Amino acid sequence: MRWTDRQRAMLLEMGIRLGPEPPGAEPVAVVAPPAAEPVAVPAAVRDGAAPAAQPPAAVAAPPPATAAPVAFVSTTRVAHMDWPELRATVAGCTACRLCQGRTQTVFGVGHLQADWMIVGEAPGEQEDRQGEPFVGKSGQLLGNMLRAIGLTREDAPATQQVYIANTLKCRPPGNRNPQPDELAQCEPYLIRQVALVQPKIILAMGSFAVQSLLRNTEPIGRLRGRVHDYHGVPLIVTYHPAYLLRRPEEKARAWDDLCLAVETARQAAK
Ligand code: SF4
């Protein structure tokens, strides 16, 4: 695989530089010297930094303020919802304890028929405030990772613009780790988002997202490097950008994961 000058620049933004590229040889990803460490946080999903770029135009309008409260999630009912009903239902959801501390739900953003779906873990403080997943420094790194493989979270065709959602739509208080019952309560919403988007590939980022989606308690290190399945969609596992900010030496592995995802998406498109 050969890289364009633009991709090389984006890899540098990820903190990865490519070694010399001898004729006919695959380039070698080399981790750049660690950048300044961000403040440590209790869970991989949380970081605190500047706002991310504006949401893409394909994002649906905000939910009606009058959305009826949902005291429990009916999987069957959710499975038949269209986008407006799903969005309104999530906005009014009180099915688990996380509704008590949220500023707002964080539904998801991006192209509603995207080829690529990015699934993170749970909203952090800034996501809770802004109502958008992956903002701040981790959102910036995600943007760089996406650009390195020709994708974007900005307004673009479905082949390029991703759809981004979290496994949990509400922020755990104090940025604590998500609880299994909370993940289970919220999953029907994500399953419906996947069914509506019909992506060709899912990139799951972070241990809670990965373990929740795959029903597997193994660490990411043991689950990455192969193609999984989530409701009929190929799923690739990788590290959460917030984790990569704390452990920049893992960026080369994340790049391997992105390359596997690109190849898997290519195969799925045939
Ligand atoms: S986390 Fe999910 S299930 Fe829990 S209240 Fe929020 S939207 Fe409902």
Side-chain angles (χ1 to χ4, degrees), residues 93-128:
C93 182
T94 58
C96 84
R97 65 186 77 83
L98 295 183
C99 69
Q100 294 163 7
R102 72 186 178 210
T103 303
Q104 59 188 312
T105 54
V106 180
F107 181 74
V109 295
H111 201 297
L112 301 184
Q113 281 92 44
D115 283 355
W116 283 66
M117 190 158 172
I118 313 299
V119 179
E121 299 182 331
E125 184 180 0
Q126 290 191 55
E127 286 88 356
D128 173 71

Side-chain angles (χ1 to χ4, degrees), residues 37-46 241-249:
E37 283 289 323
V39 177
V41 291
V45 67
R46 263 71 72 179
Y243 175 80
L244 295 175
L245 288 169
R246 297 195 300 278
R247 299 282 304 274
E249 68 274 16

Side-chain angles (χ1 to χ4, degrees), residues 70 72-73 89-100 102 105-106 123 167-172 181-189:
V70 178
F72 72 98
V73 179
T89 302
V90 169
C93 182
T94 58
C96 84
R97 65 186 77 83
L98 295 183
C99 69
Q100 294 163 7
R102 72 186 178 210
T105 54
V106 180
T167 49
L168 278 181
K169 312 305 186 199
C170 301
R171 179 196 180 198
D181 64 316
E182 296 160 355
L183 291 163
Q185 281 283 358
C186 212
E187 191 180 17
Y189 297 137

